[in-house]
Amino acid sequence: MHSTKWNARVAGLLYLSLMTAPLRLVYIPNTLFVSGNATATANNIAAHQTLFRLGIVSDLFTGTMAIFLTLALYRLLKVVDQNLAVLLVILGSLMVTPIYFVNTLNDVAALLLVRSAQARIAA
């Protein structure tokens, strides 16, 4: 198979692997988060911890696949313009992905707060 065609198929497959993102970006906020009511949101997270953890895993998976997708797009586009392909890697992966992973710490912190509150109530 031609190299460019293979690189395009790999990039397309990696794009499809990003289909887990709507779980965390659309479904979980609509299900668990109550606008303007932190107590209700915390209660929803406590009641659906598995769903919230699945959202965290989905975030981490999507961030990891975004790295591989950026590298696949670099391999695909470097034959067109090397400088723009490098810019794609810098802006698409090196700057965005660390922020994406650090942002998942907010979800982990929320889960830890909910679990510690449950432990205090149970004790």
Side-chain angles (χ1 to χ4, degrees):
M1 187 179 301
H2 191 259
S3 176
T4 304
K5 195 173 191 178
W6 173 254
N7 289 338
R9 286 185 180 190
V10 168
L13 182 66
L14 289 171
Y15 256 121
L16 289 176
S17 73
L18 298 180
M19 292 302 291
T20 61
L23 172 72
R24 175 62 184 99
L25 298 175
V26 178
Y27 180 72
I28 291 176
N30 289 338
T31 305
L32 299 181
F33 301 163
V34 179
S35 179
N37 193 345
T39 305
T41 300
N43 289 336
N44 287 342
I45 291 172
H48 301 33
Q49 286 186 26
T50 305
L51 179 63
F52 197 71
R53 289 177 190 198
L54 184 63
I56 293 170
V57 170
S58 172
D59 263 352
L60 295 174
F61 177 76
T62 303
T64 304
M65 289 297 109
I67 293 170
F68 291 120
L69 173 62
T70 305
L71 295 175
L73 287 174
Y74 171 77
R75 288 182 61 188
L76 181 65
L77 299 175
K78 72 179 177 181
V79 296
V80 177
D81 189 344
Q82 176 80 27
N83 292 331
L84 289 177
V86 169
L87 187 63
L88 169 85
V89 171
I90 292 170
L91 295 177
S93 185
L94 295 179
M95 292 181 71
V96 174
T97 307
I99 295 170
Y100 200 77
F101 285 129
V102 169
N103 196 30
T104 59
L105 293 177
N106 293 328
D107 292 342
V108 172
L111 186 62
L112 289 174
L113 287 172
V114 167
R115 289 182 62 204
S116 68
Q118 280 185 328
R120 287 184 196 151
I121 291 171

